[in-house]
Amino acid sequence: MSEAGRKPGLGRPTPSDVSAGLVTGLFSIPEGMAYAAIGGFSPVSGIYAGVVPTILGSFFARTVLMVTTLTSAIALTSQSVLSGADLDPRDAGNIATVSVLAGLVMVVLGLLRLGAVMSFVSNAVMTGFSTGIALQIITGSLDDATGYKPRGHNRLTQVGDWLVHIGDWRLTTTLTALVTVAVWALVRLVRRLEPVAILIALVAVGLGVGLLSVDVKLARDIAHIPASLPHFTAPDLSTVGTLLPGAFAVALVALAQAASIGPTVRNPDGSKSSVDGDFVAQGLGNIGGGLFGALPAGGSMSRTGVAVSAGARTRWTGIFAGVWLALLVLTLGSLAERIPMPVIGGLIIVIGCELIWGRRKDILLVVRTSPLPAAAMVVTFVATTQLPLQQAIVIGALLSLLLYCVQAARQSGLRGLERGPGPGSWRFTDPPDRVGPGEVRVLFYGGASLFAEAPRIDAQWPDVSRARGSAVVLTLRTAPEVPSSAVVKLLSRYAEELDAHGGRLYLAGVQPRLLAVLRRTGLTAELGDDRVVPAREEIFGAQDEAVERAERWVAERRAADADAPE
């Protein structure tokens, strides 16, 4: 088997995997705490999301460098699910239930090989959703960064309220956040330090705040970080029915984010990644992590980027990242409690702004492509900022389906075919307006056989009111093997219409599974076996045979009409 075709193995760890794992594990402390905090969870559960889920996810993932951990979108979606169910987001049993249920959904989707479903989420919808999530990240950190908690029923009004009340911002808190952002920006000027700029800013400003005894809110004011590994936590089975729909939404958000990692971060050993395999890996990570205090997790592009930039070579980087993080919590947990919250707030705002800035090209691309995708992007963005995230996900999925159906319907249609100058050659033309008596017309169908295509195809079908003694050959070589019932019904109606006016419909290039469908629906019996020509290896083989049969029938019909008494 070729390198590109084989499944990735465990491999041997390299020294760079050890160091990259350390950098990734260190980075997981502030980012995990911050993401958990913006979702209203205990920061400790955000840290734990980088231990068991990361180890299990890296061990089983088909995208070997993908790091499975908590992301901002997952944290916000989980918070929205729990608050929508009127459950406490800081209750360990509720967190365990959401994580395990989301993991089970991921495993089932992966085993059913439904990874292709993620390709139906359009770029326009994902752009609107990601931008809305980024805005939620920013607004969720405004309190920590400035000391003023904005009011409002949605994220947009909260931003407006925050700006209006600039006089209520706490000076020391705001200055600490600004210094953090400044340090981060300066560190990024050194190219080799870019991957750890957030970590350096966190440590440097945190030390400065401690040495100068600056009066700001600390992580210990939110929660105690125990110097111990997460203990076993059983899910609250009484909330399973309530949380299952929301857990499905959490799983979809996590999988949608992770689906873009495989094509972006190739396996260094040349092995082939798999979206379905990654689904299962993330699911196992969530099941295991949920039982040990972790928030729901998924493939993290930011954490994967840190690992790759730090020199990751095999899946051992993620495994080491989880192990290093566990050791750091055991030995340095008390130090993590002293992290200033304005530092975390400033860094999270930076992350949110980076996410929006990183989407600028996608936003411009969608706007310049077509009004319909642009409208879908805007609607998804508004829904993400105005509604609970699980509802925004449903709206985004419906918009993606709508866009797919509209685009598929636009691309479908009939084309005319005429013989070319050379033997066995054909060329495309516009479909004829009508079929005259004694003619043989060849049409080519192209489309996805969706029900939405029926009106467009119907409008292109030539007038057959004068088609006595004529035949229409419809080439279906590129048609999907399982069409919609609306398309089958359309073909049946065309055949009846031609028969009613003394003509015939021939189907050419019918693939085996499509032929089986036509037989089950009775269309082949309606036409007759001689009018359905199965596909052949030669591109125009079936079409040529169907045309030959049609021409023979037309000639026989013409001769019969000539011999008929007047």
Side-chain angles (χ1 to χ4, degrees), residues 293-345:
L295 282 167
S300 168
M301 179 60 82
S302 64
R303 212 74 57 89
T304 301
V306 169
V308 172
S309 298
R313 292 292 179 268
T314 71
R315 66 175 71 248
W316 281 98
T317 293
I319 297 173
F320 282 130
V323 173
W324 276 118
L325 179 57
L327 293 175
L328 290 170
V329 169
L330 282 172
T331 58
L332 302 175
S334 60
L335 292 178
E337 288 185 349
R338 301 181 184 181
I339 296 176
M341 291 309 296
V343 173
I344 294 180

Side-chain angles (χ1 to χ4, degrees), residues 463-486:
D463 178 22
V464 295
S465 59
R466 300 180 59 192
R468 178 176 174 79
S470 298
V472 174
V473 177
L474 182 60
T475 299
L476 300 174
R477 183 179 179 86
T478 61
E481 293 183 342
V482 182
S484 71
S485 59

Side-chain angles (χ1 to χ4, degrees), residues 154-430:
N154 59 70
R155 302 299 178 175
L156 294 176
T157 57
Q158 288 173 10
V159 172
D161 179 75
W162 177 72
L163 292 173
V164 168
H165 290 85
I166 189 172
D168 295 330
W169 298 2
R170 288 193 61 191
L171 182 60
T172 54
T173 301
T174 304
L175 288 177
T176 302
L178 290 175
V179 170
T180 304
V181 175
V183 172
W184 167 83
L186 289 173
V187 173
R188 281 176 59 89
L189 295 177
V190 182
R191 190 172 187 83
R192 295 184 62 182
L193 297 180
E194 278 191 46
V196 291
I198 289 181
L199 182 63
I200 293 175
L202 171 73
V203 174
V205 181
L207 288 174
V209 168
L211 292 174
L212 298 175
S213 299
V214 180
D215 183 21
V216 294
K217 188 177 181 180
L218 303 179
R220 66 187 177 196
D221 297 326
I222 300 177
H224 169 63
I225 301 177
S228 62
L229 294 177
H231 56 79
F232 177 81
T233 303
D236 185 353
L237 298 181
S238 65
T239 62
V240 169
T242 303
L243 292 177
L244 183 57
F248 195 89
V250 172
L252 289 182
V253 170
L255 297 177
Q257 288 187 304
S260 62
I261 297 178
T264 305
V265 183
R266 301 291 184 179
N267 291 343
D269 61 359
S271 58
K272 189 175 181 180
S273 62
S274 165
V275 175
D276 294 318
D278 289 341
F279 277 16
V280 174
Q282 292 170 83
L284 294 175
N286 273 286
I287 294 172
L291 297 176
F292 290 93
L295 282 167
S300 168
M301 179 60 82
S302 64
R303 212 74 57 89
T304 301
V306 169
V308 172
S309 298
R313 292 292 179 268
T314 71
R315 66 175 71 248
W316 281 98
T317 293
I319 297 173
F320 282 130
V323 173
W324 276 118
L325 179 57
L327 293 175
L328 290 170
V329 169
L330 282 172
T331 58
L332 302 175
S334 60
L335 292 178
E337 288 185 349
R338 301 181 184 181
I339 296 176
M341 291 309 296
V343 173
I344 294 180
L347 293 176
I348 289 300
I349 290 176
V350 164
I351 292 173
C353 292
E354 278 194 312
L355 289 174
I356 293 177
W357 181 251
R359 282 288 183 178
R360 69 191 187 281
K361 292 183 179 179
D362 284 333
I363 294 172
L364 291 174
L365 177 63
V366 172
V367 170
R368 292 169 178 171
T369 300
S370 172
L372 187 59
M377 177 181 67
V378 172
V379 170
T380 306
F381 171 78
V382 172
T384 305
T385 58
Q386 307 285 326
L387 302 173
L389 282 179
Q390 62 267 34
Q391 296 180 18
I393 293 167
V394 173
I395 292 174
L398 292 176
L399 286 174
S400 293
L401 179 61
L402 175 63
L403 287 175
Y404 175 76
C405 291
V406 170
Q407 293 296 338
R410 284 178 176 176
Q411 295 174 2
S412 67
L414 299 176
R415 301 285 301 276
L417 280 174
E418 293 182 353
R419 291 190 183 276
S425 65
W426 295 83
R427 60 187 179 190
F428 283 116
T429 65
D430 292 331

Side-chain angles (χ1 to χ4, degrees), residues 427-515:
R427 60 187 179 190
F428 283 116
T429 65
D430 292 331
D433 294 329
R434 63 182 57 85
V435 178
E439 293 183 342
V440 175
R441 292 287 190 172
V442 184
L443 300 176
F444 173 84
Y445 163 75
S449 289
L450 287 173
F451 60 88
E453 300 175 7
R456 182 179 179 87
I457 300 172
D458 195 30
Q460 294 178 322
W461 184 251
D463 178 22
V464 295
S465 59
R466 300 180 59 192
R468 178 176 174 79
S470 298
V472 174
V473 177
L474 182 60
T475 299
L476 300 174
R477 183 179 179 86
T478 61
E481 293 183 342
V482 182
S484 71
S485 59
V487 173
V488 175
K489 184 177 180 180
L490 203 63
L491 293 176
S492 177
R493 183 159 61 84
Y494 291 162
E496 292 176 358
E497 187 178 355
L498 269 168
D499 284 342
H501 292 91
R504 275 191 173 187
L505 176 65
Y506 290 79
L507 303 180
V510 182
Q511 300 292 341
R513 291 185 64 186
L514 176 57
L515 181 59

